[in-house]
Structures are given as C-alpha cells and as structure tokens.
Amino acid sequence: MVASKPLFAGDYQGGQFFDIFHTQGSNPTANWKLSGSKPAKKVYEKAVKSYVYCCEGGPTCKMQLPNDELKTMTLLQPYLVFQLYLPTGQHFSLELSVSDTSGIRRR
C-alpha cells in the first residue's frame, strides 16, 4: 500500500497566512467531508459581505478536513486562527486534533 501525500504538503505556506477554510473557487470543499441531514453549503451573507459556509443541519451537520480520516494535513504556520460568524442563539462545537512534525499528538 502506497502512503498518500499529506494535504497541503506541496503548497506554498511562506506568506503571513495560509487559508484552508476559503469559499473561493468552483468547488472549495473538494477536500472536505460534508455530512449530515443538511450538509453545509456556500451562501452569501450580507452581514459580513462575503460568502460563508452555512450549517443549517443542526448537530448532525459536520465538516471534516481532510475528507479521509486516514490522511493527514501539513500546516507550517505558527498560529491557527478561526474566523467564525455565529448568529445569536446558534450552538457551535469544534473538535481539533493536532500533532507535531514527529507525529506526537498535542493539546
């Protein structure tokens, strides 16, 4: 079995930031696994004047990156930043698993 290349390993990450949660392009969720009764979709949000991912499926709506649980992702930036727009009264949860370059899981 051939080991797959980690997601974003060959992409340029030398700038000030590296965007993995973007909404640009024809299929921005190609590397994502979208699941739930109503999967997330890209919609224009007037309040932020941009496209956002809309998760209306309640607690069953999930976005997983990378789409295969056996794959890994290679991000080299020193900080991980999430920019979220959460309407008042909406519930939100985030599960994040991080490991260093040696493969050791970190908290």
Side-chain angles (χ1 to χ4, degrees):
M1 182 172 158
V2 177
S4 63
K5 181 179 171 185
L7 193 60
F8 306 125
D11 295 351
Y12 174 73
Q13 297 184 38
Q16 293 181 347
F17 65 91
F18 183 71
D19 191 5
I20 62 170
F21 204 66
H22 59 84
T23 56
Q24 292 83 18
S26 61
N27 191 8
T29 57
N31 293 320
W32 291 81
K33 178 181 178 184
L34 304 175
S35 60
S37 59
K38 293 173 94 177
K41 60 184 176 184
K42 182 173 92 169
V43 297
Y44 187 79
E45 179 61 49
K46 291 179 186 177
V48 295
K49 299 178 184 170
S50 181
Y51 283 95
V52 297
Y53 291 110
C54 181
C55 300
E56 294 179 336
T60 63
C61 182
K62 295 180 182 177
M63 297 178 73
Q64 173 183 318
L65 183 68
N67 57 7
D68 183 356
E69 295 170 358
L70 300 177
K71 284 186 178 179
T72 59
M73 235 179 10
T74 301
L75 299 175
L76 304 174
Q77 299 293 341
Y79 301 104
L80 183 61
V81 178
F82 292 94
Q83 183 176 350
L84 303 170
Y85 171 68
L86 303 171
T88 305
Q90 295 293 317
H91 297 285
F92 174 77
S93 67
L94 174 72
E95 181 179 334
L96 181 65
S97 177
V98 179
S99 60
D100 62 15
T101 54
S102 310
I104 299 171
R105 293 181 86 129
R106 301 291 182 176
R107 294 181 188 229

